[in-house]
Amino acid sequence: MKSGKIALHLSIVLTAVISFFIYVFIIDPSLHHHYQQIAWQNNYLFLRYYLAFAGGPGEYIALFISQFFFSKLLGSAIIAFAGYLISFFIFKTVSLNTGKLNIHFLMIPLLQIIVVTLMFDYRFHFAVIFNLTIVSGLLYACSVIGIKFRKVISYQTLIAGLIIYYVSGGMYFLIFMLSSLLLLFEKPDRKLVVNAVLIIIESLLVPLIAFHFVFLSSLNSSFFRATPDVATMLRYSRPPVFYVALAAIPAVILLVRSFELIPVKRNDKIAVSKKKTSEIKEKTKSRLTETALLIPGIQIIILLFVSGFVLFYEYKPEQKARIKIDYYASRQEWDKVLSEIEKTGSYDRMVNFQYNRALMNQGRLLDKIFNYEQLLGSLGLFVDKPFNSEVALPCSDLYFDLGNIDESQRYAFESQTLMTNSPRVLKRLILNCLIMNKPEAANTYINVLAANPLENKWVQKYRKLIDNPNLAASDQLVAAKRDEMSKTEGMIGTPPVKLLDQLEKNPKNKAAFEYLIAFDLLEHDLHSLTDDFKFIEQLNYQKLPVALEEAIILFKSQGKTSGILNTVKVSESTTERFREFAKLTSASKGDRERAKLATAAFKNTYWYYVLFLSPKVTNLKLETRPVDANY
């Protein structure tokens, strides 16, 4: 028995170690930190919000812990340890409440595998794991107290239930009470009946009283609140594995308890000699030893199989790549953004958007834009049409890159209504206020950000700029954006109008020029291209960008060019490539699919885009959900 328990504990430790390496090398908790924009603050107002509802204190503590997910190693260690604690507490609880060890104890380390599975979703909240840890810990504590004092009424369970309801919320309260009820079922007696009735009564009364007299919440939330209430685009979808996780603790207890209640068959009529009894005892002892040695091997095989199954079916490299693209874009690590984009397969509008943005920031947009399929045309340049909650912050970042600070600030305000304490949003608001020379507003936002302990270094740097306007004027980023900044037509202005307004003020704004020309090309707008081409004279290009050359020679071949475009000389290499492309399309004799296959080698050209990929040709429409379109 003892050796079996040691083996089981070792398997829990082994699972924790395996989980840690999965978190570090496959999942990466720093991406959860980035995507969820985790923001804990050390002020009373922030704490008071979480003290005002059942489940708030647990979410507050979980948020404090999860802010350390900014470090991949530290975050992985925290999650692996939390998973270990859940399994360890359930193991100890079941051990205290059962008389024998059997193979069904193998279910316990699987709790850690469920935790790993949950973490594959980057919208999953650590608060769920934290609350399950509290539930398992208090189950163990109540079992220890119950065995030590052996009272008829399990006061410790009733008190712990009240604590869990306030700290963790209704769902975890019900999980705790159900698990406590299952642990009672050993043999029918007065103690079981009394405690079972009290647990059932408390399970019903506490949420009802909380709903009617204590907290401002819905009846459903009073009973079943399980995840934090966050911004729309960050809400966890609650897949089936989530409900498996919630049911796992009572399910393990039920399974182990069920096998404990199976009666052992005996035949009292058979008399056994003392010698034979001794032999049986020796054989039984030998078999128990063999079983204790066999258990770890079986556990390792099962755990490895389940781990492999989880990795195969739950790990989604493309989803992770998309999160990393946004992560690197927020840090302006454009080479890494482009590297991650290569790992994606199917078309994705936000990936398209970040690809264009990365090239724009590198000054290569008009050379490389068609290396990624622009299936939505200009909707891959600007994602604010149709507007939804998910694109508010990316739009703010794009307009900041372009130097359109007014629009950047407008979208930053939209983001802040959804994510009040997000460090990314607050930093954008502060920088924009500095650029627009609004130090009082910048000071308001930086005071909010200063309550986040992880942002102290950034706050100290930019508080100096807020306090000293002359220092702000000499800052390279602030000065550059002030040069690019201009008043636009506001919300009714189209993207070209906004870009033209910026170029009128600062003709050397290369980012605005390349985005404007890219917009013209993607819209097949030759007239606008001819008008906008004049700004190229201020930008000192060493040679004409490839996409422009391809567009000009295409329009020339159709006899559509006029004015300045007629004077542009296209390189010999581009001319030769166009001849080859035209030859292949002509040979297809009007068969569109045949021409598309024949010119596949030219899929990174403007010509291929115009003929085969442009939404003006394919009639591809952007799919929207009603909640997004009407946000």
Side-chain angles (χ1 to χ4, degrees):
M1 181 74 169
K2 186 175 180 180
S3 60
K5 289 184 177 181
I6 292 173
L8 181 55
H9 188 205
L10 287 175
S11 72
I12 294 173
V13 173
L14 175 64
T15 308
V17 173
I18 294 171
S19 301
F20 172 77
F21 286 110
I22 292 174
Y23 295 135
V24 171
F25 294 107
I26 299 176
I27 295 177
D28 190 354
S30 67
L31 297 179
H32 289 80
H33 184 271
H34 164 78
Y35 187 71
Q36 296 180 29
Q37 301 190 51
I38 292 168
W40 181 86
Q41 296 193 329
N42 59 4
N43 58 51
Y44 174 68
L45 287 175
F46 187 76
L47 173 61
R48 190 172 70 178
Y49 167 78
Y50 285 97
L51 295 178
F53 59 90
E59 290 179 18
Y60 178 85
I61 299 169
L63 198 59
F64 169 77
I65 296 171
S66 58
Q67 69 177 324
F68 297 106
F69 290 4
F70 77 90
S71 165
K72 179 165 64 174
L73 287 175
L74 188 54
S76 298
I78 290 170
I79 302 166
F81 183 63
Y84 163 80
L85 286 179
I86 293 172
S87 289
F88 174 77
F89 286 138
I90 296 302
F91 159 60
K92 296 296 287 184
T93 301
V94 174
S95 297
L96 287 172
N97 288 275
T98 191
K100 60 182 179 179
L101 180 69
N102 55 56
I103 197 67
H104 305 287
F105 274 68
L106 291 171
M107 290 290 292
I108 294 174
L110 295 181
L111 295 170
Q112 293 157 275
I113 303 300
I114 293 173
V115 171
V116 172
T117 307
L118 292 170
M119 291 301 296
F120 277 115
D121 190 328
Y122 291 95
R123 294 187 183 190
F124 175 72
H125 304 287
F126 177 73
V128 175
I129 298 173
F130 177 75
N131 286 325
L132 290 176
T133 306
I134 292 176
V135 169
S136 59
L138 284 179
L139 281 173
Y140 174 54
C142 290
S143 295
V144 171
I145 294 170
I147 290 172
K148 184 175 182 180
F149 294 101
R150 298 190 180 278
K151 299 288 185 180
V152 174
I153 298 177
S154 300
Y155 294 104
Q156 71 277 5
T157 299
L158 303 178
I159 294 170
L162 293 174
I163 294 171
I164 285 182
Y165 184 80
Y166 179 55
V167 172
S168 300
M171 179 60 76
Y172 303 98
F173 165 73
L174 294 176
I175 292 170
F176 174 80
M177 300 305 278
L178 176 59
S179 300
S180 299
L181 187 62
L182 292 172
L183 288 171
L184 288 174
F185 286 96
E186 188 171 1
K187 57 181 179 179
D189 56 12
R190 179 169 169 263
K191 181 179 179 180
L192 184 151
V193 174
V194 170
N195 283 292
V197 170
L198 289 174
I199 286 173
I200 292 170
I201 291 173
E202 181 172 327
S203 299
L204 295 172
L205 281 183
V206 169
L208 286 173
I209 292 171
F211 167 65
H212 286 289
F213 305 108
V214 185
F215 301 113
L216 293 173
S217 62
S218 66
L219 184 62
N220 182 69
S221 179
S222 297
F223 273 94
F224 304 116
R225 181 185 176 93
T227 55
D229 186 15
V230 296
T232 307
M233 64 283 196
L234 299 178
R235 285 178 187 162
Y236 183 53
S237 61
R238 298 189 180 188
V241 68
F242 170 72
Y243 295 100
V244 170
L246 295 182
I249 291 175
V252 168
I253 293 172
L254 176 62
L255 183 63
V256 173
R257 179 59 80 195
S258 297
F259 278 88
E260 279 295 305
L261 294 176
I262 295 175
V264 179
K265 293 182 179 180
R266 290 176 182 173
N267 190 345
D268 295 330
K269 295 181 180 181
I270 300 176
V272 183
S273 65
K274 290 183 179 181
K275 183 178 179 182
K276 193 169 183 180
T277 301
S278 177
E279 289 176 358
I280 291 172
K281 285 183 178 180
E282 288 296 323
K283 288 180 180 179
T284 302
K285 185 177 179 180
S286 176
R287 286 174 183 173
L288 286 173
T289 303
E290 289 174 3
T291 302
L293 293 173
L294 186 62
I295 284 176
I298 296 173
Q299 287 174 336
I300 291 172
I301 292 171
I302 293 176
L303 291 174
L304 288 175
F305 174 78
V306 173
S307 298
F309 178 84
V310 166
L311 287 174
F312 183 77
Y313 283 99
E314 294 296 329
Y315 179 48
K316 299 176 180 63
E318 270 201 48
Q319 182 192 40
K320 182 181 178 182
R322 291 186 183 115
I323 303 293
K324 290 182 78 173
I325 288 166
D326 187 70
Y327 172 75
Y328 289 130
S330 71
R331 299 165 68 92
Q332 303 215 334
E333 298 180 26
W334 305 117
D335 286 335
K336 291 182 179 179
V337 168
L338 296 173
S339 176
E340 288 298 324
I341 287 174
E342 292 176 2
K343 299 176 184 178
T344 60
S346 57
Y347 178 84
D348 182 87
R349 188 190 184 194
M350 292 308 297
V351 173
N352 189 177
F353 167 77
Q354 295 292 12
Y355 175 81
N356 293 336
R357 186 179 163 218
L359 290 180
M360 179 262 289
N361 277 281
Q362 290 184 335
R364 301 190 298 150
L365 182 63
L366 297 181
D367 280 316
K368 301 288 185 180
I369 183 172
F370 297 108
N371 284 12
Y372 188 90
E373 293 183 330
Q374 305 288 330
L375 298 184
L376 289 172
S378 61
L379 292 179
L381 289 173
F382 295 93
V383 291
D384 46 358
K385 181 185 176 182
F387 179 72
N388 62 60
S389 56
E390 186 178 358
V391 304
L393 188 53
C395 284
S396 179
D397 290 341
L398 171 66
Y399 283 115
F400 183 87
D401 294 342
L402 290 169
N404 191 336
I405 305 305
D406 291 320
E407 282 294 273
S408 176
Q409 192 74 334
R410 179 167 75 86
Y411 282 110
F413 284 140
E414 295 282 358
S415 298
Q416 213 232 353
T417 62
L418 298 166
M419 300 171 287
T420 308
N421 300 306
S422 163
R424 283 180 66 191
V425 176
L426 289 170
K427 287 176 182 179
R428 176 63 66 233
L429 290 167
I430 293 162
L431 277 172
N432 286 344
C433 288
L434 273 172
I435 293 163
M436 292 187 289
N437 200 21
K438 296 179 179 179
E440 296 85 2
N443 194 56
T444 299
Y445 295 121
I446 206 167
N447 286 338
V448 178
L449 185 62
N452 188 325
L454 297 181
E455 301 297 339
N456 282 338
K457 188 175 179 180
W458 196 95
V459 167
Q460 289 175 10
K461 176 184 176 181
Y462 283 94
R463 196 181 286 281
K464 292 177 183 177
L465 302 186
I466 294 171
D467 295 338
N468 188 342
N470 294 327
L471 193 61
S474 64
D475 182 81
Q476 186 177 358
L477 177 61
V478 172
K481 293 303 176 184
R482 283 179 178 175
D483 287 340
E484 296 169 354
M485 185 176 64
S486 62
K487 283 288 182 183
T488 66
E489 295 299 320
M491 293 180 68
I492 62 172
T494 62
V497 169
K498 297 171 185 177
L499 294 169
L500 281 168
D501 191 69
Q502 290 182 259
L503 286 166
E504 290 292 344
K505 180 181 179 183
N506 181 9
K508 294 185 177 181
N509 186 337
K510 186 178 180 181
F513 171 77
E514 293 209 344
Y515 243 64
L516 179 62
I517 296 298
F519 189 94
D520 294 339
L521 295 179
L522 293 172
E523 289 293 309
H524 305 204
D525 191 347
L526 176 61
H527 177 73
S528 295
L529 177 64
T530 304
D531 289 342
D532 300 338
F533 192 79
K534 62 187 177 185
F535 292 107
I536 200 170
E537 296 174 359
Q538 301 285 333
L539 297 171
N540 300 319
Y541 278 95
Q542 296 290 326
K543 62 177 183 177
L544 199 63
V546 174
L548 261 176
E549 283 195 330
E550 292 172 349
I552 290 169
I553 195 171
L554 175 63
F555 293 136
K556 277 184 176 182
S557 72
Q558 298 169 341
K560 295 180 179 180
T561 57
S562 61
I564 192 171
L565 294 184
N566 277 329
T567 65
V568 176
K569 184 178 180 181
V570 177
S571 67
E572 186 60 35
S573 60
T574 299
T575 303
E576 186 59 36
R577 285 189 302 112
F578 181 68
R579 288 191 187 121
E580 180 63 23
F581 180 83
K583 181 180 177 182
L584 291 170
T585 53
S586 297
S588 300
K589 297 179 180 180
D591 187 331
R592 182 180 180 78
E593 289 303 315
R594 183 181 169 190
K596 188 175 181 180
L597 290 172
T599 57
F602 294 87
K603 65 179 181 180
N604 295 338
T605 66
Y606 182 61
W607 316 316
Y608 192 88
Y609 165 79
V610 168
L611 290 182
F612 306 116
L613 300 180
S614 171
K616 293 184 179 297
V617 175
T618 62
N619 294 317
L620 181 67
K621 303 295 183 183
L622 179 64
E623 293 183 4
T624 59
R625 295 166 292 176
V627 67
D628 290 341
N630 298 322
Y631 173 76

